[in-house]
Each structure stands twice: as structure tokens, then as C-alpha cells.
Amino acid sequence: MGNWVNTKLIPQILKFVNVKPIVALKNGMLYTMPFTIVGSVFLLLANLPVESWAKWVTDSGYGAYFNQAYGASFAIMAIFAVIGIAYSYVKSEGYEGMAAGMIALVIFILTMSSSITDPETSVTIGNIINKDWTGGKGMISAILIGLVVGSVYSWFMKRDIRIKLPESVPENVANSFTALIPAAVLITGSLLVYIFFDKVFSLTMIEWIYQVIQTPLQGITDSFGGALMIAFLVPFLWFFGIHGSTIVSGIMGSLLLTNSLENQEIIDSGKELTLANGGHIVTQQFMDQFLTVTGAGMTIGIVVFMVFFAKSAQFKELGKMSLAPAIFNINEPIIFATPIVMNPLMVIPFIATPVVSATITYFALYSGLVPLFTAVQVPWTTPPIISGLLIGGWRAAVLQLVVLVIGFFIYLPFIRKVDSMNIDVEEGKPIV
């Protein structure tokens, strides 16, 4: 079994996660992170669930200013994504990537409608960039456009199909001309695509992708099965020493973030955020704060055992070293030093804990015991309980505490057994 894992399974997993589109998607989406966090701060300020603060925000009019900052950062995630993905793809091929990022942005804007019609007055306003599509609703289009532009631009560069200027020409000028041929081909091709969708479907490409591809994908991620799949995949990949958190976030994070943004749009439209009004359960906060909180596998239970109950010198020392990082959701010391990686005894609670947490959290949100999450995000290093309080109020904080306590008891018999084995090793006894 172990030989099959090492020779067959792990190479196939590594092969998949290292293909160019997956790497570009993972790296490109990282460029959205600072704007997500900063935008969330302003969104939280505009919607802080404290009555006195909410009254002051409303009476003072500062809510409009906070929402302005949110709208210029978090609400245009698809723009950052399309640039970042195309840039990362071309950069990984060894070429200057900024031109590709700009081309991707042009195509992203080109393939959406430049006008909007007021349904009440039937008045059409033109020459706009519709922010309905620059956030979550346009995310899958942004990913596809970024990957296609990155691939095609790299194809031109590899075949040296570009305008070359003398070496005496400044580099920034030369780079502009380098991008001219692929830009002309890509933009012309995108215009033809825009015309095709307009004539055949009476839709823009972005609208078609949203209806045919993105909405079904969001439905899958937002299901109970989707929640369990995410909860399983992160620790499963980590068991083999592969950074499951980064990989799963890179692939599915765009959909989870879109679910968060659509929840916020429900509130912004004046409706109550409920499942009946189209609210989503499985969002980015669902993963960050209830599936990977305190690190992949939710390993704070192991740390608590080591600090307060461990008998072996190894675990006592490891617990002291790991406590502070664990509070800030960093658990690599625990994963590699316990160890959990390739440890068949510890893989059971390592996977079971987030799966149980996913089950409890899903039905807590489904039943209304805990409110659905808005678009408010917190830095991934925010300590548990505090993060729950910020994203969902006291009920989300209590839910975090509940699943972490349950996680401790799931880990307890397994980590106690490993601790006793460590004692035997330290005392020179044979391991049984």
C-alpha cells in the first residue's frame, strides 16, 4: 500500500497540481488577497452588528464612504483575478507578464455589455463598466480569460512572433511593441466572440458563462456534498505532504468567494440574507474559519493536549513551540513534527475533525442557528473565536468554539496513543 501511494498516487497528485493552468490560477488569485482583506475592513465598518455604531454610521452618512472603499476593492475582485492569472501564467513561462495582464483586462471588459437599461424607465445608459460583473458574478469568466490569454500570449512569445526593435530602444518601449501582435490577435478574436454570443444567444459571453458554467459550479460547492469534499481534500492532500490548503483554495476559492459576494449583494439589495432569498452556506469564511481554522485538520486539539496533558518530553516541548503559531492558524510544526504526514494513525482524526466540523457548521447555517455569512473576510492569521465574532457575530464565535472542542475529543485517543509510544521510545522500551 505504501509503495503504491509513493509510486503511483503522489506523482499523479503532484502532476495535476503542477500543471501550468492550476499553478497560474493559484498564484494569480493570490493577488486578490490584500484587496479582499482591506475591502472587508470597510465592509465591516459599514455593517458592524453593534446598534450604537450602526446608528452613528447611518446618521453621519459615513456608511456611503465605507461602501465606496469596499466597492473599489473587494467588489472588483474579478478584475484583479483576470490580470493576476494572465500575468502569472506568462511569468511562469519566463516572459514579461504585465502586457498579458493588461490584454486580459481589455478582453474581460470587451466581453461584457457596455450599457445598462433601467427596468422601470426603460432608459439605457451607455459607455459604462458594469460592476455587477467585476465581482463574484464575473469570477469564472475572469479565470477562463486569464488562462486563455496567458496561454496564447506565451504561444506567441515561444515562437518569437512579435515586433522586434533595436537594442538601443528603451526596454519599456520595446515591451509595448512586443505585445502588439498578440494583443491585436487576442482582442480581434474576442470581439468576434462577443459578436457571436450577441447574435446567437442575445447575451454577452460573461452572462452565458455565468448561467451555464458558474451557477452550476456554485451549486455544487454550496451543497452539503461540496462542503464535505472541501473538508476531506485539504487534510487528505496534507497527509501526503502536499499543501492542501493552498491547492484547494486556489482551485475552489474563486467560487467560495463568489458565494460570499452574492450573499453581500442580497443584503445590499435590501433583502434579508436567507436561503429562500438565494443565500449561500458554503463560502470562503466557511472554509477559512470552520474547516481550516488553527490550520489544516483543525489541529489546535493536538496542541492543547501537548501543552496540558502530554507525558512525553517530545510532545511537551513541541506543544510549547506550537501554541503561539496555532493560535494564529499556523500548524506546519504540528503537521511535520507530530508527525501527521504519512502517519496512518493520525490521518483518521486529521480528516475526521474538519469533516465533522463541516457537517455541524453546514446544518447550523442551514437551520438558521447561525446567520449566513456576508462578504466580510478576515486575515487568515486572525485567531479563532475572534474571527468568528467578526464574520458572523457571537453565534459564529460560539460555533467555532463548539467545533474546536469537539475536535479536541476526536484527536484525544489518537494523540494519547502516539504520546504513549513516544514515552516508550524515550524510556528505551519496545513499541507495541
Side-chain angles (χ1 to χ4, degrees), residues 87-120:
Y87 172 85
S88 297
Y89 196 114
V90 174
K91 188 77 171 177
S92 69
E93 295 281 13
Y95 304 105
E96 169 55 45
M98 183 52 68
M102 294 299 100
I103 294 170
L105 174 60
V106 171
I107 293 173
F108 182 67
I109 295 174
L110 188 157
T111 51
M112 69 172 70
S113 176
S114 59
S115 63
I116 188 171
T117 301
D118 188 330
E120 296 182 1

Side-chain angles (χ1 to χ4, degrees), residues 181-205:
I181 293 177
V185 172
L186 282 162
I187 293 171
T188 302
S190 300
L191 178 60
L192 295 175
V193 170
Y194 178 84
I195 293 171
F196 171 80
F197 277 95
D198 185 54
K199 296 295 185 181
V200 176
F201 299 106
S202 297
L203 293 170
T204 63
M205 186 188 77

Side-chain angles (χ1 to χ4, degrees), residues 371-394:
L372 300 180
F373 303 125
T374 64
V376 172
Q377 308 281 328
V378 294
W380 67 271
T381 51
T382 305
I385 313 305
I386 296 175
S387 60
L389 187 65
L390 291 174
I391 66 167
W394 68 268

Side-chain angles (χ1 to χ4, degrees), residues 31 90 147 388:
Y31 288 101
V90 174
L147 292 175

Side-chain angles (χ1 to χ4, degrees), residues 19-43:
V19 297
K20 292 173 184 176
I22 298 300
V23 172
L25 173 59
K26 179 181 66 176
N27 293 339
M29 289 299 296
L30 288 176
Y31 288 101
T32 69
M33 184 180 297
F35 306 104
T36 300
I37 295 172
V38 172
S40 289
V41 172
F42 289 105
L43 183 62

Side-chain angles (χ1 to χ4, degrees), residues 50-357:
V50 177
E51 185 176 351
S52 58
W53 175 268
K55 185 177 185 305
W56 177 81
V57 167
T58 301
D59 293 344
S60 66
Y62 275 95
Y65 300 127
F66 296 146
N67 285 325
Q68 178 74 1
Y70 159 74
S73 52
F74 202 154
I76 58 171
M77 283 296 100
I79 288 179
F80 300 130
V82 74
I83 295 172
I85 292 168
Y87 172 85
S88 297
Y89 196 114
V90 174
K91 188 77 171 177
S92 69
E93 295 281 13
Y95 304 105
E96 169 55 45
M98 183 52 68
M102 294 299 100
I103 294 170
L105 174 60
V106 171
I107 293 173
F108 182 67
I109 295 174
L110 188 157
T111 51
M112 69 172 70
S113 176
S114 59
S115 63
I116 188 171
T117 301
D118 188 330
E120 296 182 1
T121 63
S122 297
V123 174
T124 298
I125 301 173
N127 198 29
I128 66 164
I129 296 176
N130 191 340
K131 287 178 70 175
D132 281 349
W133 301 104
T134 61
K137 291 174 68 175
M139 192 61 76
I140 296 301
S141 294
I143 290 171
L144 295 176
I145 291 170
L147 292 175
V148 170
V149 170
S151 176
V152 174
Y153 189 92
S154 298
W155 184 89
F156 276 93
M157 294 299 102
K158 288 178 180 178
R159 286 154 183 78
D160 210 21
I161 305 174
R162 50 182 164 172
I163 297 174
K164 300 177 184 177
L165 297 180
E167 293 183 1
S168 58
V169 175
E171 183 179 0
N172 60 332
V173 177
N175 286 337
S176 299
F177 279 88
T178 295
L180 190 56
I181 293 177
V185 172
L186 282 162
I187 293 171
T188 302
S190 300
L191 178 60
L192 295 175
V193 170
Y194 178 84
I195 293 171
F196 171 80
F197 277 95
D198 185 54
K199 296 295 185 181
V200 176
F201 299 106
S202 297
L203 293 170
T204 63
M205 186 188 77
I206 288 182
E207 291 169 332
W208 185 86
I209 289 174
Y210 178 73
Q211 293 179 12
V212 176
I213 300 176
Q214 180 165 329
T215 299
L217 285 176
Q218 283 183 247
I220 293 172
T221 61
D222 198 33
S223 65
F224 179 54
L228 294 182
M229 179 178 66
I230 297 169
F232 171 81
L233 282 176
V234 173
F236 175 76
L237 292 171
W238 262 117
F239 173 70
F240 299 108
I242 301 168
H243 204 301
S245 308
T246 300
I247 292 169
V248 174
S249 292
I251 297 172
M252 305 189 70
S254 57
L255 293 170
L256 299 180
L257 185 60
T258 298
N259 290 345
S260 300
L261 288 167
E262 290 192 357
N263 280 0
Q264 186 62 42
E265 288 173 5
I266 293 172
I267 294 177
D268 293 342
S269 68
K271 299 178 182 177
E272 185 180 1
L273 180 53
T274 62
L275 294 176
N277 287 332
H280 299 284
I281 293 175
V282 187
T283 61
Q284 188 65 50
Q285 302 96 316
F286 187 102
M287 177 177 172
D288 291 345
Q289 310 309 331
F290 294 92
L291 302 185
T292 59
V293 64
T294 73
M298 302 172 62
T299 54
I300 191 69
I302 295 177
V303 178
V304 170
F305 174 85
M306 289 179 176
V307 172
F308 296 103
F309 305 105
K311 301 269 195 312
S312 66
Q314 176 186 335
F315 273 5
K316 287 180 179 179
E317 192 62 31
L318 180 58
K320 294 175 185 176
M321 294 171 54
S322 303
L323 181 59
I327 292 173
F328 294 96
N329 304 311
I330 300 168
N331 71 335
E332 279 79 356
I334 291 296
I335 288 177
F336 290 104
T338 301
I340 293 174
V341 172
M342 300 304 290
N343 184 342
L345 179 60
M346 290 304 299
V347 71
I348 298 172
F350 189 58
I351 292 177
T353 298
V355 167
V356 170
S357 178

